[in-house]
Amino acid sequence: MFGSVTHVWKVQEAFDKHGERFKDSLDKVQRWKYALKKAAGLSGFDSRVINEVPPAITFFFFFFFFFFHLGTGKIEGISLDMSKIRDIDLQPFALSRMHNLRFLKLYSWEESNKVHVSQGLKSIFTELRYLHWEGCPLKLLQSNIQPEKLVELAMPGSKVENLWSGVQQLANLKKIDLTRSKQLTSLPDLSKAQNLETLKLSHCESLLAIPDCSDLKSLTHLDLSYCLKLRMLPQLPHNLQKLESRYTPIEELPSSIEVLSRLVYLNLRHCSKLKCLPTSVCKWKSLEELNLMDCSRLDKFPEDIGTLNSLKFLGTTGTVIRELPSSITCLENLKYLCFGRIMGQDTIGCILPLLSHNLTVLLLEDCDITKVPDNLFSCLSSLERLSLIGNNFESLPSSIINLSNLDTLEISNCKRLKVLPELPLIYIDASNCSSLEGLSCFAFPESNALLNGIFLGVALNNCLKLDRSLLECIMTDALWKIQRLIDKDVETLPEPGAKLFYPGNEIPKWFDIQCTGSVIHAELQPDWFNHNFFCFAFCAVVAFEDHPDAFCDIGIRCECFLESKDGNDSSVVSEEFYLGDVDFNQSTHVFVGLCPTLYPYESLYYDNEVVFKFSLCENYGPTEDVKVEKCGVRLMYR
C-alpha cells in the first residue's frame, strides 16, 4: 500500500487490532480499509474520504505518507482538514514525487497550521493550479512553486515575507488571499496577472507598499484593511468594484480614483489621517456604499455628492463634517444615512437639508442638534429606524407619529429633552434623558412596523423627573395594548417579545400574582395550561443602591419551575433580557418582560403549583450587587 513491506505490515497490524476490537462490526473495518486505499490514492488524496477512520489510524497514515515522502506522481490533489490531525513536520522531500499535483488544500477551522517544514521544502510544483495553505510556514514561494499555471493562491495567516522576485507569467491567476500574513512586507510586480480578480491583503500589518495595479484590468475586489503601515494606496484599475481600506494610515486617495466609474463599494472607515475626498468621487455613478465613519480629520463633502445616483449607504459618524450638502436631497436611492461628529468636540449644531423619502435608517448621533425641523419627518415615509442619540433638542415634532413604518426610535442621552409627543408603541430608547418631564400614552402600533421583528418596548431608565404615578399609568396602558396585540392576532407580536424599563418601586397592578423578594410560589387555576395559553409575562423591581459601578451590562432572568400532574416529570423554562450598558444612577427601577419563548413544553400536563425565581446577571454572569426587591407574574392568553 505504501510501497514498502515494512509499512504495509504496520498498517496491516493496525487493521488487525481494530478488527479484533470491532469484531462485531467487521463491515466498518472494511470501510476503513477502503477509505485508506482511496486516500493513499491512485488519483488523489482527500482527508474527507476517511472521516470514518479512527484518529489513531488517520494520524498513522499521515505520518508515513508525509514523513517518509511516499507521495507518487499519480497524485493530483490533496485536501487535508488540519483540525483533525496532530502536528506534522514534513521532511524536505516529502512531496517531491508529486510531479502532477494540481490541487493542494491544507485548511482548518481553528485558523492554525499543523503541517510544518522546519528543514525547508525541496519540492517544486510545476502543475499546481490551486494552493490553499492556512498558516503556511514558508517565507518565500519562489523556490517551491512555479506560478505560471496557478489559478488561486490562498494562504491566510501565513509566514510569507514575499511571494517571489521579478516579473512572473501569471496569466491564469484569478485570486490572491494573504489575509493575516503579518510578516508580509511587500508584493512582487503583478502586471502579468491580467486575469486577477481578487486581491485580499487585510491585516498584513507589516506591508509597506503595493505595486501599481492600474493595468490589472480584471481586478474587481481589493482589500487592504488593517494594513497599519500602508501610507499610500496603489494606482487603481478602472474596473475595480469593491475597495476596502479600513484602519489604514492613508492621507489621500490616489489620482487614479477618478477613473473608478464601476466602483460599487468603498469602505474607508477609521482612516484617521484622511483629510478630504477629491471632487472626482462625484463621477462614481455606480457607487452604492460609501463608509467614511471615524475619518476624524474629514471636515466636508464634495458639493456635488448628490450626483451619486446609485448611492444606498452613506456613513460619516466620527468625522468633523458639520453640514450635509444640499445636493444630498437628490440621492433618491439612499436608504441608510449615518451622520455624526466626534464625541466631545465643540460644535454649533449641524445643518440638515430635506432627505430622501426612500431612507429606511437615519442615524444623527451627537450632532448637537438644538431643534429638530418640523418638516424633517414629512418626507421620510419609509423610515424604519431613527437615532438622535446625544443631541440637545428639547422636544420632537408631533409629526413623528405619522412615520407608519418606524419600528425603532433611539433618543438616549438627550440631556435637554423635556417632553415627548405621542409616540407609537415600538422600540423606544429614551434612557438617560435626565430633563424629561412630559410623556403621553403610546399609540397602538402600526401593523407594518411590527413585521420587522423588533422588540416592542420602552427604556426610560434614569428619567428621574417623570412623575412616578403618571409613569405607572402609562406603562400599564402599554401592557394592555400588548395584550390587545395578542388578542387581535398572536402572529403580530414580534418573536423577540416586549420589554419596559423605567424608574419606580412598585409592581403594576396589571400583574395579578405579586410577591416581595425574588421568589414566587404560585398556585394557579387547575386548567391554566390549555391551548389558549401564550406565555408568562414577568416583572421585577430592581435596586441598584449597593452596586459598586454606575455603568454596567445588566440582565434580568426569570426561571419557571414546573412539575407534571403525576410528579414523575419536571421542567424549567427561563428567559433572560439584557438591557445593555446602562447607567442606573443608584435608583430603583421596574423591569417588565414578555417573550413567547417563555413557554412550557407541550408534552407535559402541568400541576397548578409553580415556582418563579428572579435573578440578575452582569456581563452575562451572576451578580449579588443588584437585588430584586419585588416581583410579579401574569399568565398571557390568546
Side-chain angles (χ1 to χ4, degrees):
M1 181 177 177
F2 290 100
S4 166
V5 175
T6 304
H7 301 153
V8 171
W9 179 83
K10 289 186 177 181
V11 173
Q12 185 60 51
E13 183 182 41
F15 277 133
D16 290 343
K17 289 182 179 179
H18 281 276
E20 179 64 27
R21 180 181 176 186
F22 296 99
K23 58 186 177 182
D24 296 329
S25 303
L26 292 179
D27 60 323
K28 184 177 291 187
V29 178
Q30 292 301 321
R31 288 201 302 273
W32 292 341
K33 288 183 179 181
Y34 172 76
L36 277 179
K37 288 178 181 178
K38 292 285 288 184
L42 300 177
S43 60
F45 166 61
D46 188 336
S47 67
R48 291 171 296 180
V49 176
I50 58 173
N51 56 11
E52 292 189 74
V53 181
I57 290 185
T58 303
F59 181 74
F60 179 80
F61 168 71
F62 288 137
F63 179 82
F64 278 97
F65 188 76
F66 285 128
F67 193 82
F68 290 104
H69 51 91
L70 299 168
T72 72
K74 295 181 180 180
I75 292 179
E76 296 182 1
I78 296 176
S79 178
L80 171 62
D81 183 351
M82 294 185 290
S83 63
K84 296 181 179 180
I85 66 167
R86 306 174 197 171
D87 285 75
I88 297 173
D89 193 354
L90 294 187
Q91 292 293 301
F93 294 96
L95 307 176
S96 60
R97 299 181 187 179
M98 298 185 188
H99 307 300
N100 291 313
L101 192 66
R102 298 166 180 263
F103 181 97
L104 177 59
K105 184 175 183 179
L106 308 178
Y107 64 99
S108 171
W109 62 268
E110 300 169 339
E111 296 186 350
S112 61
N113 175 57
K114 291 186 179 180
V115 179
H116 309 284
V117 286
S118 61
Q119 301 178 54
L121 195 61
K122 302 299 183 182
S123 309
I124 299 178
F125 303 112
T126 59
E127 299 295 326
L128 202 60
R129 269 74 165 172
Y130 178 96
L131 173 59
H132 181 119
W133 192 339
E134 192 106 20
C136 176
L138 298 173
K139 294 185 177 182
L140 184 68
L141 296 186
Q142 185 163 5
S143 59
N144 302 108
I145 295 174
Q146 294 181 6
E148 289 85 354
K149 297 180 181 179
L150 204 59
V151 175
E152 182 168 330
L153 174 63
M155 299 193 305
S158 74
K159 305 296 183 184
V160 69
E161 297 176 359
N162 200 347
L163 294 177
W164 47 72
S165 60
V167 180
Q168 300 287 332
Q169 298 299 321
L170 304 169
N172 296 298
L173 191 59
K174 291 188 175 183
K175 180 179 179 179
I176 297 177
D177 182 358
L178 298 174
T179 302
R180 305 190 318 278
S181 296
K182 297 186 178 182
Q183 298 177 29
L184 182 71
T185 57
S186 62
L187 281 182
D189 188 326
L190 298 174
S191 59
K192 298 296 184 180
Q194 289 298 300
N195 290 304
L196 186 65
E197 298 172 357
T198 301
L199 179 56
K200 293 186 176 182
L201 301 169
S202 66
H203 294 84
C204 292
E205 298 176 358
S206 300
L207 188 61
L208 299 173
I210 298 173
D212 189 335
C213 295
S214 58
D215 291 331
L216 301 180
K217 295 179 172 54
S218 299
L219 188 64
T220 58
H221 182 192
L222 177 60
D223 188 355
L224 304 173
S225 300
Y226 294 89
C227 292
L228 303 180
K229 295 184 179 180
L230 188 66
R231 298 189 177 277
M232 293 182 62
L233 297 183
Q235 295 298 324
L236 302 168
H238 72 277
N239 283 325
L240 195 66
Q241 296 178 15
K242 187 174 184 179
L243 174 59
E244 299 178 78
S245 186
R246 294 167 293 146
Y247 289 84
T248 56
I250 60 171
E251 296 184 6
E252 60 182 6
L253 299 177
S255 59
S256 58
I257 205 81
E258 183 175 351
V259 303
L260 302 185
S261 59
R262 299 183 182 180
L263 193 67
V264 175
Y265 176 94
L266 176 61
N267 193 338
L268 299 174
R269 182 166 189 168
H270 217 293
C271 291
S272 57
K273 295 187 178 182
L274 183 67
K275 297 177 181 178
C276 66
L277 286 178
T279 57
S280 57
V281 303
C282 299
K283 298 179 181 180
W284 299 339
K285 304 304 181 185
S286 299
L287 191 66
E288 295 182 3
E289 184 164 337
L290 177 58
N291 192 335
L292 302 169
M293 295 182 189
D294 301 313
C295 293
S296 54
R297 296 190 183 184
L298 195 63
D299 61 359
K300 65 179 179 180
F301 277 121
E303 285 297 325
D304 293 333
I305 195 170
T307 61
L308 300 177
N309 300 327
S310 301
L311 197 64
K312 296 178 181 178
F313 176 102
L314 177 59
T316 67
T317 298
T319 66
V320 288
I321 296 173
R322 177 178 174 268
E323 183 176 356
L324 290 171
S326 58
S327 65
I328 201 171
T329 59
C330 300
L331 299 177
E332 294 188 355
N333 290 304
L334 191 65
K335 293 185 177 296
Y336 190 115
L337 175 60
C338 178
F339 182 53
R341 296 169 63 83
I342 298 172
M343 285 286 292
Q345 187 182 52
D346 292 335
T347 63
I348 55 173
C350 76
I351 301 172
L352 296 174
L354 291 177
L355 300 169
S356 167
H357 66 279
N358 287 319
L359 268 180
T360 57
V361 177
L362 177 59
L363 312 182
L364 301 172
E365 300 176 357
D366 298 300
C367 293
D368 195 27
I369 298 173
T370 56
K371 180 176 174 57
V372 179
D374 292 335
N375 61 351
L376 177 64
F377 303 129
S378 62
C379 57
L380 299 178
S381 57
S382 301
L383 199 64
E384 297 174 5
R385 179 186 173 195
L386 173 63
S387 178
L388 299 170
I389 292 173
N391 283 292
N392 291 317
F393 51 83
E394 295 185 359
S395 63
L396 287 173
S398 59
S399 58
I400 193 172
I401 194 68
N402 298 323
L403 299 179
S404 59
N405 289 294
L406 192 68
D407 59 44
T408 301
L409 174 62
E410 296 162 289
I411 48 175
S412 61
N413 294 302
C414 292
K415 303 296 186 182
R416 296 184 182 179
L417 180 63
K418 293 183 177 180
V419 62
L420 284 174
E422 183 184 22
L423 296 170
L425 182 56
I426 51 175
Y427 178 74
I428 301 170
D429 183 0
S431 56
N432 300 313
C433 293
S434 53
S435 299
L436 186 61
E437 298 175 350
L439 184 67
S440 302
C441 286
F442 299 99
F444 199 75
E446 294 281 349
S447 59
N448 47 349
L450 295 172
L451 295 177
N452 296 330
I454 305 296
F455 249 114
L456 290 183
V458 181
L460 293 168
N461 42 297
N462 290 328
C463 298
L464 302 181
K465 288 191 175 182
L466 287 168
D467 181 84
R468 294 290 180 94
S469 58
L470 175 63
L471 189 54
E472 183 174 338
C473 291
I474 292 173
M475 291 303 169
T476 300
D477 178 75
L479 289 168
W480 281 115
K481 286 185 169 71
I482 293 171
Q483 177 69 66
R484 279 178 57 197
L485 280 174
I486 297 173
D487 294 341
K488 179 182 177 183
D489 181 1
V490 70
E491 298 299 327
T492 62
L493 187 68
E495 185 174 337
K499 63 182 179 181
L500 306 172
F501 194 45
Y502 57 94
N505 52 19
E506 296 294 335
I507 302 291
K509 295 178 182 178
W510 186 82
F511 289 92
D512 47 10
I513 303 173
Q514 299 189 20
C515 184
T516 301
S518 61
V519 179
I520 295 177
H521 295 269
E523 186 169 343
L524 308 179
Q525 295 294 325
D527 59 346
W528 71 270
F529 187 60
N530 56 51
H531 68 279
N532 289 321
F533 180 75
F534 180 65
C535 72
F536 297 110
F538 64 87
C539 180
V541 174
V542 184
F544 298 95
E545 285 86 349
D546 298 328
H547 196 276
D549 301 314
F551 196 71
C552 55
D553 187 7
I554 288 290
I556 312 291
R557 179 179 177 86
C558 177
E559 296 175 287
C560 175
F561 299 85
L562 307 113
E563 286 193 1
S564 59
K565 282 279 189 181
D566 57 13
N568 293 327
D569 210 342
S570 61
S571 176
V572 179
V573 293
S574 64
E575 185 60 50
E576 291 182 8
F577 286 85
Y578 270 87
L579 312 176
D581 290 328
V582 181
D583 181 358
F584 291 103
N585 208 20
Q586 295 190 344
S587 175
T588 56
H589 279 67
V590 179
F591 177 82
V592 175
L594 184 154
C595 184
T597 60
L598 194 60
Y599 184 90
Y601 298 108
E602 295 186 29
S603 59
L604 294 175
Y605 184 63
Y606 292 105
D607 194 7
N608 60 331
E609 292 186 3
V610 182
V611 177
F612 299 92
K613 182 178 180 181
F614 294 81
S615 57
L616 288 106
C617 312
E618 181 178 355
N619 298 321
Y620 297 89
T623 179
E624 301 295 332
D625 297 321
V626 184
K627 295 181 174 60
V628 175
E629 292 188 340
K630 302 174 184 178
C631 53
V633 173
R634 180 184 177 94
L635 278 64
M636 304 291 287
Y637 290 91
R638 299 179 179 88

